[in-house]
Amino acid sequence: MKSYAKELWFETSKRYELIDITGQVEAALADSGIAEGLCLVNAMHITASVFINDNESGLHADFLEWLEKAAPHEPVSTYRHNVGEDNADAHIKRQIFGRETVIAVTEGRLHFGPWERVFYGEFDGRRRKRVLIKIIGE
Ligand code: ZN
């Protein structure tokens, strides 16, 4: 069995950002030389997510609006976590959108369903953060 790992770095200019990283995951898969297996993609920080969905800007605006209703950033004083920091909402947003995704690898390609793309979800940006890609197989 072969194994391959790569870390991607992000530093968003905004507090919240949803970034399509499908091309970077496909590049990692090509690098790995693995044709059959599994590809794990996970956020390495507890205020960011990796998830799969549609690359449609209206939907992304809906996601962020819905998350803001579920866990508003302001007022920061409403969260017990926010002692010396202000990112309790980002931890909750990450918990809702999840830490990782796993994609099947078939014949050297990410085996997606219709319209599936991989996204990095940043909920407490403006600092350097990482995503791990780990691919195993043959
Ligand atoms: Zn925190």
Side-chain angles (χ1 to χ4, degrees):
M1 189 194 74
K2 282 197 267 188
S3 143
Y4 172 94
K6 181 174 191 175
E7 293 180 2
L8 307 177
W9 284 91
F10 297 90
E11 184 168 0
T12 62
S13 58
K14 291 181 269 183
R15 177 176 285 272
Y16 310 139
E17 232 168 282
L18 305 179
I19 300 168
D20 188 340
I21 60 170
T22 310
Q24 290 168 84
V25 179
E26 285 170 341
L29 177 58
D31 255 16
S32 76
I34 291 169
E36 296 292 327
L38 292 173
C39 175
L40 166 79
V41 188
N42 69 267
M44 296 177 72
H45 301 261
I46 53 181
T47 53
S49 290
V50 168
F51 63 95
I52 290 183
N53 216 298
D54 192 3
N55 191 13
E56 196 279 305
S57 60
L59 180 64
H60 289 198
D62 291 338
F63 281 158
L64 291 175
E65 194 179 306
W66 187 90
L67 282 172
E68 202 54 32
K69 281 183 202 154
H73 179 65
E74 301 276 358
V76 296
S77 61
T78 57
Y79 297 97
R80 278 163 285 199
H81 177 67
N82 284 342
V83 177
E85 56 182 328
D86 67 353
N87 65 2
D89 67 302
H91 289 279
I92 296 168
K93 287 166 173 138
R94 179 265 172 77
Q95 208 58 26
I96 294 169
F97 265 49
R99 170 183 183 264
E100 78 274 309
T101 191
V102 177
I103 307 151
V105 173
T106 304
E107 295 176 354
R109 300 182 62 190
L110 298 173
H111 201 150
F112 285 129
W115 302 107
E116 286 190 328
R117 305 282 293 179
V118 193
F119 296 91
Y120 174 65
E122 176 60 79
F123 305 120
D124 183 23
R126 298 176 292 202
R127 56 199 172 99
R128 279 167 63 73
K129 290 188 178 177
R130 280 175 295 165
V131 163
L132 174 65
I133 302 171
K134 180 89 184 189
I135 307 167
I136 57 170
E138 296 181 359

